[in-house]
Amino acid sequence: MQIIQTVVVKQILTEKSKQQLFEKYNSKKLQLQKECDQLQFELKRLEKTKNFSQVSLKNQFEKEIQFRKEKIKLLEFQIEQLHILPLGSELKEREVQALVEINVGDTWDVSLGQPTIIIKDGIVEEIR
């Protein structure tokens, strides 16, 4: 019988992967800042039209802007942590699903231990 099991994928931090993560976090941060600016622009534009309820409109836009600012703060924290982490650290990248073969007589705890795939610069380094 086959069952589906979650497998953790971890990445070993190298100079190359550190730079890629920094660029990824920075581009997300810039995108969120652009979205905040766009939302503020749209809010001002819609306030001038007077076709909408000013209070509910402003609350909705401020809620969206605040949501994005919180994401920006999280990205800034992640960038700080990235600079602190030493090379060779293992970072959890994601989780994937895998099929596992289970047979009568298998030891349950051994069969369903938490498998981990270790990646270094995009290449599978180890399967634990």
Side-chain angles (χ1 to χ4, degrees):
M1 168 186 228
Q2 290 185 336
I3 60 171
I4 297 175
Q5 182 179 27
T6 301
V7 178
V8 175
V9 178
K10 292 184 178 181
Q11 175 177 318
I12 295 176
L13 193 63
T14 62
E15 276 297 329
K16 182 180 174 182
S17 62
K18 194 173 189 175
Q19 184 62 32
Q20 288 173 340
L21 283 171
F22 176 75
E23 289 170 4
K24 179 178 140 185
Y25 292 155
N26 211 28
S27 67
K28 282 184 183 179
K29 182 179 162 188
L30 290 173
Q31 178 62 34
L32 288 168
Q33 288 172 336
K34 285 180 187 178
E35 289 176 14
C36 285
D37 293 343
Q38 184 65 32
L39 285 168
Q40 288 172 340
F41 175 78
E42 287 296 322
L43 174 62
K44 288 180 182 178
R45 188 178 64 81
L46 290 173
E47 282 178 340
K48 291 178 184 176
T49 63
K50 308 258 189 235
N51 292 343
F52 303 98
S53 167
Q54 294 295 322
V55 175
S56 65
L57 179 71
K58 187 170 184 166
N59 286 341
Q60 184 63 32
F61 271 86
E62 285 178 354
K63 181 179 167 185
E64 290 295 324
I65 291 169
Q66 188 61 33
F67 176 73
R68 283 163 177 79
K69 285 184 178 181
E70 287 173 12
K71 282 186 169 183
I72 289 171
K73 285 180 185 176
L74 176 63
L75 285 167
E76 287 171 346
F77 176 74
Q78 287 176 319
I79 289 171
E80 285 176 26
Q81 294 301 307
L82 185 62
H83 290 305
I84 294 170
L85 280 173
L87 296 179
S89 299
E90 291 183 3
L91 303 174
K92 181 179 176 183
E93 188 174 295
R94 67 183 117 180
E95 291 182 352
V96 294
Q97 302 294 314
L99 286 175
V100 176
E101 185 71 34
I102 300 293
N103 296 306
V104 175
D106 287 350
T107 306
W108 181 254
D109 291 336
V110 174
S111 298
L112 290 180
Q114 182 68 35
T116 306
I117 299 172
I118 307 298
I119 296 176
K120 185 174 182 178
D121 291 332
I123 298 171
V124 175
E125 185 87 4
E126 179 183 350
I127 299 174
R128 299 179 188 156

